[in-house]
Amino acid sequence: MGTSIGWLAVNGKSADVVLAELDLVRNGQVAMHPRRGFSLALPSGWFVVVSRFATPLIAEDAVRRLSRGCTVVTCEYDDHVMVSSAACYMNGLRNWRAEHDGGEDTRQLAAIGSLPPAFDAIYARIESMQDAADAEDDDIDHYYSIPIELAQSVTTFHAGL
């Protein structure tokens, strides 16, 4: 069974403001395994909203609006098709974006902007893992995790793979 998740994390706005700007409301439920999505406040100061599938919630126009006066990091991944992406928006502008499409090539990665400091270390480690997998003729796509790990390096959040 595959995973398809989209999430955004906001730093610099309260949870109530984020939910209001996204036109979401709290349902008051606590669940160990939510079926549709959830939100949570992290000790790192980020507020995270998670959806089980990519949604308009993470659409660029919506995220640009939400990021006015704060920082928003988005992350989407679908391991059915081995596509993953992460981006960071600050004050209405995209600061960086990293995207992998494994259907194109396991080593494909498009990255633009002022990438976080962790990018070089993440990339080097993943490239080494992919080299080892390729040498063993393992059909595995390690580059898929680069955008996911990059988003986690900024927000400390990981929805699980």
Side-chain angles (χ1 to χ4, degrees), residues 10 12 32 46-47 50 52 56 63-64 67 72-74 88 92 104 125 127 146 158:
V10 180
M32 289 298 293
W46 291 85
F47 179 71
V50 180
R52 288 189 33 104
V63 175
R64 284 184 187 276
S67 74
V72 177
V73 171
T74 65
C88 177
E104 205 173 291
R125 181 175 48 77
E127 183 178 43
I146 292 174
H158 191 292

Side-chain angles (χ1 to χ4, degrees), residues 22-152:
L22 293 173
D23 199 25
L24 297 173
V25 295
R26 295 179 193 267
N27 66 10
Q29 296 178 349
V30 176
M32 289 298 293
H33 302 286
R35 289 186 292 154
R36 285 194 225 150
F38 61 92
S39 65
L40 72 151
L42 301 176
S44 60
W46 291 85
F47 179 71
V48 181
V49 178
V50 180
S51 175
R52 288 189 33 104
F53 303 97
T55 65
L57 182 76
I58 306 171
E60 184 150 354
D61 289 344
V63 175
R64 284 184 187 276
R65 281 190 304 277
L66 179 62
S67 74
R68 291 186 184 124
C70 68
T71 300
V72 177
V73 171
T74 65
C75 185
E76 294 180 84
Y77 50 96
D78 186 336
D79 62 15
H80 297 100
V81 292
M82 298 309 287
V83 172
S84 60
S85 66
C88 177
Y89 298 81
M90 302 162 107
N91 294 314
L93 301 173
R94 187 174 62 202
N95 190 29
W96 58 264
R97 179 170 176 80
E99 185 174 303
H100 170 72
D101 183 347
E104 205 173 291
D105 177 6
T106 56
R107 291 183 182 260
Q108 184 276 338
L109 182 72
I112 59 171
S114 301
L115 296 167
F119 175 77
D120 289 338
I122 292 169
Y123 185 87
R125 181 175 48 77
I126 297 298
E127 183 178 43
S128 176
M129 291 169 62
Q130 191 67 55
D131 289 344
D134 290 351
E136 296 292 322
D137 286 329
D138 285 342
D139 185 25
I140 194 163
D141 182 352
H142 289 289
Y143 275 56
Y144 171 76
S145 65
I146 292 174
I148 301 164
E149 289 189 31
L150 200 56
Q152 181 183 12

